[in-house]
Amino acid sequence: MQIAGKKKKWVITAVLLSIVSSIAQFFPYVAVYHIMKELINNANHIYLISYKKIEMWGYLSLASVIVYGVLMYISVMCSHIAAFNILYELRVALASKLVKLPMGYFTKKTSGEIKKIMFEDVERIELFVAHHFPDFITAIVFPLLILSFLFYMDVALASTMLVIFTIAIWLQIKMMGSKQSKALSQQYHEALSKMNNSIVEYVRGIQVIKIFNKTLFPFERLKRDILYYKESSINISQQFSGTYTNFLTILSSTILVVIPVAVYLLISSNNYPHYATTVFLFFIFGTGMFFPMLKLMWIGGMFNQNSTGVEIIDELLNKRELPESIHEITPNEYSVTFNNVSFAYDDINVLENISFSARAGKITALVGKSGSGKSTIGMLIGRFWDVGGGDIFIGNVPIKEISLENLMNMVSFVFQDNLLFYDTIEENIRMGNKTASLQEVKKAAQAAMCNEFIEKLPDGYNTFVGENGTYLSGGEIQRICLARAILKNSPILVLDEATAFADPENESKILSAFSNIIKNKTVIVIAHRLKTIVDANEIIVLNNGKIVEQGIHEDLIRQGKHYYELWRNYLNISEWQL
């Protein structure tokens, strides 16, 4: 009910219909009792048997079965409507939450773990609400109806059955509610997450695995996680096996306990025929209660697993988001300023007292050795994390005072690791601007030097990318991502090795195209190929998370320090030959 949200009315309707259908399902038992009563009471005088009464109870029983079927069908439909809406709303809520979480969350959580939460845990809730919930209600209501009717018929026999069922239910609660069972359930979910993550990693890295001739079991992590999952599953089975066996034995032998009590009461009875009917009724119900109770136990196990899944979903939904300002301020211009910015990944310092300004309409280049903090600076501009100290400004406004949505509209990124979605090339480019026309998409593609190879594809801009579609080279993917950023037309552009996968000819074309693209934009270029940034208006040299030099190319070369060393090494590498 808590996760049903706006669909509570569907869940309530499903519950009410399940209750009414349980009553309808119970009615044939009452009919059988009255038919047996009519036959046994008149066993010595067959001519007194009212066949019309028997026929009436038969038709009423048939009608109740039809009513049960119809109501149960409608109940299941209502529960399915609720379930699929809950599934939809949960996945939308989770997807929305993931977007608002700092990037640091994803460095700690693997893709396999997130996949399990968004798909398997949510799917299990949908399955429970759609299918198991109506059964769960029936499994509770039906035995209660039977016990109520039995107490009405005979207190002694009903009390005997109640004692047996109380013991069975106590065993089930003990099995499902113990701390050990909860711990095992959590261990099971953890093992499943680890295995999912290893499988995803294994599939993604299959090319490397094949190159180095690694089969499944030498890939130790996957092997270990599969065995851990197997061990967790066996542990749960072993933990519950004894209690489950006792529960099943007690529940299925109810009639064996009822028989001696019934025989004693039957012998003691003054009205033998009438009491014989009652005893027969208890024999029917003794077996009739077995299946709902068994179903209740099975659903209880599912509910236990679901509860752990819901806790994991709640944990994600309750994660602290990046705080947003209530009173948003719009920048007056789009320069980017770092003012004594420090940042650390957990306890590892990455940036220390970084201060610089990237002017609007100018190119600012960030260079330095790997691990010096260049890419981190780029991502901090988009507020992928909040800084540990200092402030980042766009114009005169701290980025914390700008909503994340507007900040993302102001900044475009092209990273080293580019992603194209399984969709047409046109739609992949249009992600930068959903309202853009095809002509504008093509114009952006021309500016990124990818129109030529797109036009040569079988379906042109309607060609699907990825599985069951066309496969593009790294340079082609990077240029399409560049076209996406161009079409977005944001005032701030962050290029993290944007020409890394381009061949020399296309790199030259892309760089010449930049002169038109970057007009009136704040451009921050993160580069290892130093020749791509020699004309930058400002070059910032980083080393171990600190700014060690700052200036234009010629001045930095003349100083003969860090930048000069980087430039000399770059030139030496360019002369290497095999």
Side-chain angles (χ1 to χ4, degrees):
M1 291 301 294
Q2 191 178 11
I3 62 171
K6 298 175 183 176
K7 306 302 172 186
K8 283 181 183 176
K9 61 182 180 180
W10 291 103
V11 178
I12 292 167
T13 304
V15 169
L16 294 174
L17 288 172
S18 290
I19 292 169
V20 178
S21 69
S22 296
I23 296 169
Q25 186 187 17
F26 170 73
F27 191 81
Y29 288 91
V30 178
V32 167
Y33 166 74
H34 283 286
I35 291 169
M36 292 305 301
K37 184 179 177 182
E38 182 67 24
L39 292 171
I40 292 172
N41 286 350
N42 299 299
N44 296 326
H45 307 284
I46 297 174
Y47 58 87
L48 293 176
I49 294 173
S50 174
Y51 291 102
K52 284 189 176 179
K53 189 184 285 187
I54 292 172
E55 190 177 350
M56 178 195 73
W57 283 111
Y59 280 122
L60 286 174
S61 181
L62 177 63
S64 68
V65 170
I66 294 168
V67 169
Y68 162 74
V70 171
L71 292 180
M72 200 62 191
Y73 174 79
I74 298 170
S75 171
V76 169
M77 286 299 101
C78 290
S79 66
H80 270 76
I81 291 169
F84 284 121
N85 278 281
I86 289 167
L87 180 145
Y88 167 76
E89 287 174 5
L90 268 179
R91 282 192 175 147
V92 168
L94 286 166
S96 302
K97 184 72 177 185
L98 289 172
V99 172
K100 295 175 183 176
L101 289 175
M103 286 296 289
Y105 173 79
F106 302 97
T107 61
K108 295 175 183 176
K109 281 282 183 183
T110 60
S111 55
E113 287 177 289
I114 295 170
K115 169 190 169 289
K116 177 189 168 291
I117 295 169
M118 289 201 69
F119 289 90
E120 292 179 31
D121 290 337
V122 174
E123 201 75 40
R124 200 178 282 118
I125 291 170
E126 180 273 322
L127 189 66
F128 185 85
V129 174
H131 295 278
H132 303 148
F133 197 54
D135 288 343
F136 180 67
I137 299 300
T138 305
I140 291 174
V141 172
F142 193 71
L144 288 176
L145 285 171
I146 290 177
L147 279 172
S148 302
F149 185 65
L150 291 180
F151 269 101
Y152 169 74
M153 294 304 300
D154 189 278
V155 175
L157 282 174
S159 298
T160 306
M161 291 189 72
L162 181 61
V163 169
I164 296 164
F165 289 130
T166 303
I167 294 169
I169 290 168
W170 176 78
L171 282 169
Q172 186 175 354
I173 292 169
K174 183 184 175 184
M175 179 168 60
M176 298 302 174
S178 68
K179 288 182 179 179
Q180 191 173 3
S181 69
K182 287 181 179 178
L184 284 171
S185 185
Q186 286 175 347
Q187 184 191 54
Y188 171 83
H189 278 270
E190 180 192 339
L192 187 60
S193 293
K194 284 185 174 182
M195 187 176 70
N196 276 335
N197 183 56
S198 291
I199 289 168
V200 170
E201 186 180 35
Y202 181 80
V203 173
R204 282 180 177 171
I206 196 69
Q207 189 178 26
V208 177
I209 291 164
K210 288 178 74 67
I211 288 169
F212 288 96
N213 199 26
K214 294 283 186 183
T215 53
L216 173 63
F217 285 103
F219 192 62
E220 285 299 325
R221 183 178 167 187
L222 178 58
K223 176 186 174 182
R224 186 176 65 247
D225 289 342
I226 288 173
L227 292 175
Y228 179 52
Y229 175 71
K230 172 189 170 186
E231 183 186 339
S232 300
S233 302
I234 291 171
N235 284 343
I236 285 180
S237 299
Q238 289 176 339
Q239 169 68 18
F240 293 155
S241 61
T243 317
Y244 173 74
T245 304
N246 293 333
F247 171 84
L248 201 62
T249 304
I250 291 168
L251 201 59
S252 59
S253 60
T254 305
I255 200 164
L256 297 178
V257 181
V258 171
I259 284 171
V261 179
V263 169
Y264 172 77
L265 294 172
L266 192 61
I267 293 168
S268 308
S269 173
N270 296 323
N271 188 349
Y272 179 85
H274 171 75
Y275 204 77
T277 311
T278 304
V279 170
F280 185 77
L281 180 73
F282 272 82
F283 287 170
I284 294 172
F285 281 140
T287 54
M289 284 185 70
F290 173 75
F291 294 105
M293 293 293 290
L294 194 62
K295 187 182 283 185
L296 187 62
M297 188 219 63
W298 180 71
I299 293 171
M302 298 296 295
F303 187 80
N304 200 33
Q305 282 194 18
N306 275 9
S307 296
T308 307
V310 168
E311 286 173 13
I312 293 168
I313 291 170
D314 282 343
E315 184 188 351
L316 174 53
L317 290 175
N318 293 325
K319 282 284 180 189
R320 185 174 172 270
E321 300 174 5
L322 287 172
E324 293 198 53
S325 174
I326 300 172
H327 307 291
E328 186 176 351
I329 307 170
T330 304
N332 56 354
E333 47 94 18
Y334 295 103
S335 62
V336 175
T337 303
F338 276 59
N339 183 23
N340 288 322
V341 171
S342 296
F343 178 74
Y345 295 111
D346 293 327
D347 297 326
I348 303 169
N349 288 324
V350 179
L351 300 175
E352 189 176 339
N353 297 326
I354 298 293
S355 295
F356 71 89
S357 183
R359 292 170 291 162
K362 305 293 181 182
I363 299 173
T364 302
L366 303 176
V367 301
K369 295 176 182 178
S370 294
S372 59
K374 305 184 297 297
S375 295
T376 301
I377 287 175
M379 286 188 280
L380 287 176
I381 295 168
R383 207 183 167 200
F384 286 12
W385 298 273
D386 271 340
V387 298
D391 285 297
I392 301 172
F393 295 85
I394 291 180
N396 60 336
V397 182
I399 61 172
K400 291 180 181 178
E401 301 296 324
I402 304 170
S403 72
L404 289 171
E405 184 180 353
N406 283 341
L407 183 62
M408 286 298 101
N409 287 333
M410 291 177 194
V411 186
S412 289
F413 293 89
V414 180
F415 294 115
Q416 296 177 60
D417 300 321
N418 295 291
L419 174 68
L420 296 182
F421 292 94
Y422 176 60
D423 206 335
T424 62
I425 289 175
E426 180 187 344
E427 287 305 315
N428 267 287
I429 296 174
R430 192 177 271 119
M431 279 192 71
N433 182 355
K434 283 293 181 183
T435 60
S437 65
L438 177 59
Q439 199 59 37
E440 288 171 315
V441 169
K442 288 184 176 181
K443 191 174 178 181
Q446 287 169 349
M449 301 296 169
C450 56
N451 179 68
E452 188 177 345
F453 79 78
I454 293 172
E455 294 283 8
K456 290 178 180 177
L457 293 171
D459 297 316
Y461 282 84
N462 290 319
T463 302
F464 270 79
V465 178
E467 192 176 349
N468 298 324
T470 188
Y471 287 88
L472 305 174
S473 70
E476 289 168 339
I477 290 171
Q478 196 153 37
R479 279 178 279 161
I480 288 173
C481 290
L482 189 59
R484 183 193 287 169
I486 292 166
L487 187 65
K488 186 179 177 183
N489 197 28
S490 299
I492 300 168
L493 185 61
V494 179
L495 304 171
D496 189 351
E497 288 295 324
T499 61
F501 292 109
D503 55 59
E505 183 184 351
N506 280 310
E507 182 184 35
S508 174
K509 291 179 181 178
I510 292 170
L511 291 173
S512 64
F514 276 165
S515 59
N516 296 319
I517 299 163
I518 64 177
K519 283 181 180 176
N520 303 318
K521 294 187 190 301
T522 305
V523 181
I524 296 168
V525 181
I526 299 161
H528 284 293
R529 293 185 183 181
L530 297 186
K531 71 172 183 180
T532 62
I533 51 92
V534 291
D535 294 325
N537 301 100
E538 184 83 3
I539 298 171
I540 295 167
V541 186
L542 292 154
N543 189 39
N544 295 326
K546 296 179 182 178
I547 295 177
V548 290
E549 286 181 292
Q550 199 168 339
I552 60 172
H553 174 74
E554 290 80 6
D555 290 344
L556 293 172
I557 291 293
R558 276 195 296 270
Q559 289 175 22
K561 295 179 181 177
H562 287 82
Y563 183 78
Y564 173 76
E565 282 297 318
L566 291 171
W567 179 254
R568 191 180 67 178
N569 289 337
Y570 176 75
L571 291 178
N572 288 339
I573 289 166
S574 65
E575 294 172 1
W576 286 359
Q577 292 182 356
L578 288 177

